[in-house]
Amino acid sequence: MSRIDLHLHTTHSDGSLPPSEVLKLAAKASVTALAITDHDITSGIPEAMATGRELGIEVIPGVEISCFDGTSELHILGYCLDWQDSVLNGRLASLRASRHRRNPLIIERLRAAGLDVTYDEVRALAGTESVGRPHIARLLMQKKYVSSAKEAFDRYLAEGKPAYVPRDLPAPAEAISWIRDAKGVAVLAHPTWVKDSGDGLGGRLTALKEAGLGGVEVHYSTHSKTQTASYLELAKRLDLLVTGGSDFHGLTKPDIEVGYGRGDLRVNPRLLEPLKAAAAARS
Ligand code: AMP
Ligand code: ZN
Ligand code: FE
Ligand code: FE
């Protein structure tokens, strides 16, 4: 049965496969349309589009921007945006620069814990300007300090662990406006991440909608059936678009497959038209 997947990472950020390889996996998974949503960078989109043309898969330009709302880190996806827009790319470059300010501080902490790692090694392994903690996790795996990315996060990199260093993140309203300025549609990623600050997810989504949010990622690899149903109900009640995707990263999330997530994900191709229509209304 055909499906779509609107949340995929490649080697242009912290995924472990290049866009062409992600597209090949998508073809095997009967994915008819997909979005490349690398963190803070759009450079993987042309390769994805070229391979998409060869394989007959529609490629939606996308991006994922990490934000901090005062209580929790939440991620905003941008879809159907003008990914070549210089203002957008300048803004994304500033986010990548903040990664390069934080990452060496993480390395210092790992070294203080006795691990022999350098930021040059991380950058060489990453091979992209959008360098994230999963790259550091992969270096720790290569050097046999840990046996999985999960172990790297659990022991060192996750919030509250010895090598955790926060980075400067934009407010969600800012990321939403950047996406809208580039004629895209902004969508709240994996709503399970949103910590309750008292007004519930409905209150949060209402505020984000006032800031220009267009949709919510209802279908996601790790959502339970109950969560999916409650997000769907919220999206309907607040008149937000429904999207979905696997958040495939390859090696750093080895249990997640393109198109299938943990096996039971299926994002209906019918969700694509409303998203494209919302973007068309913006341009
Ligand atoms: P960064 O953007 O550099 O702060 O890294 C955050 C990214 O690390 C997230 O977007 C996830 O893709 C990934 N991540 C967070 N927690 C974990 C974990 N426990 N295992 C693997 N990847 C994770
Ligand atoms: Zn990621
Ligand atoms: Fe995310
Ligand atoms: Fe993601």
Side-chain angles (χ1 to χ4, degrees):
M1 202 171 10
S2 73
R3 57 192 65 235
I4 61 175
D5 190 334
L6 302 178
H7 192 157
L8 297 158
H9 296 274
T10 78
T11 45
H12 289 257
S13 66
D14 56 11
S16 64
L17 294 179
S20 57
E21 296 298 322
V22 174
L23 268 281
K24 284 179 198 161
L25 290 177
K28 280 192 195 145
S30 307
V31 167
T32 53
L34 59 77
I36 298 295
T37 54
D38 274 313
H39 301 280
D40 306 340
I41 201 159
T42 58
S43 59
I45 292 167
E47 179 183 318
M49 285 182 160
T51 314
R53 278 190 291 274
E54 283 168 26
L55 299 177
I57 297 175
E58 182 176 6
V59 174
I60 306 294
V63 72
E64 182 174 21
I65 301 177
S66 310
C67 306
F68 188 69
D69 73 352
T71 307
S72 56
E73 182 177 325
L74 49 84
H75 292 182
I76 302 288
L77 294 156
Y79 289 118
C80 306
L81 30 66
D82 180 0
W83 59 276
Q84 290 166 303
D85 181 76
S86 59
V87 173
L88 172 72
N89 285 302
R91 288 165 164 169
L92 298 178
S94 74
L95 298 178
R96 300 196 295 271
S98 103
R99 291 174 171 278
H100 293 310
R101 288 193 294 275
R102 174 203 60 174
N103 294 340
L105 303 176
I106 296 178
I107 297 299
E108 262 176 41
R109 292 189 178 207
L110 291 171
R111 292 180 67 85
L115 280 64
D116 178 20
V117 286
T118 67
Y119 193 43
D120 282 346
E121 289 173 314
V122 177
R123 292 206 59 162
L125 174 150
T128 173
E129 276 303 303
S130 184
V131 182
R133 281 179 286 165
H135 294 118
I136 300 173
R138 263 156 59 197
L139 183 65
L140 298 187
M141 285 163 73
Q142 273 184 11
K143 295 203 162 192
K144 311 266 188 246
Y145 288 121
V146 294
S147 57
S148 66
K150 184 179 181 314
E151 189 186 345
F153 275 87
D154 289 349
R155 281 176 63 187
Y156 300 108
L157 302 173
E159 195 175 343
K161 303 299 172 182
Y164 177 74
V165 180
R167 69 186 162 92
D168 297 327
L169 296 174
E174 201 173 1
I176 290 168
S177 71
W178 294 357
I179 290 162
R180 288 171 61 90
D181 287 349
K183 306 270 185 273
V185 178
V187 170
L188 177 68
H190 39 68
T192 42
W193 278 40
V194 182
K195 290 180 194 150
D196 192 1
S197 63
D199 50 0
L201 184 61
R204 265 342 162 66
L205 282 170
T206 303
L208 291 172
K209 190 182 171 185
E210 279 162 19
L213 190 81
V216 54
E217 189 175 49
V218 167
H219 306 281
Y220 186 73
S221 294
T222 61
H223 287 172
S224 67
K225 283 202 164 69
T226 315
Q227 284 172 326
T228 305
S230 91
Y231 300 144
L232 189 60
E233 191 272 325
L234 263 177
K236 282 191 179 148
R237 181 152 61 80
L238 299 175
D239 193 23
L240 287 163
L241 294 162
V242 173
T243 72
S246 64
D247 208 1
F248 174 82
H249 279 73
L251 261 185
T252 44
K253 291 188 183 174
D255 56 332
I256 306 290
E257 280 180 59
V258 175
Y260 284 84
R262 285 183 172 161
D264 54 0
L265 182 74
R266 178 177 177 261
V267 184
N268 195 314
R270 281 198 302 245
L271 297 178
L272 195 55
E273 277 316 312
L275 183 65
K276 284 161 65 175
R282 293 210 41 73
S283 50

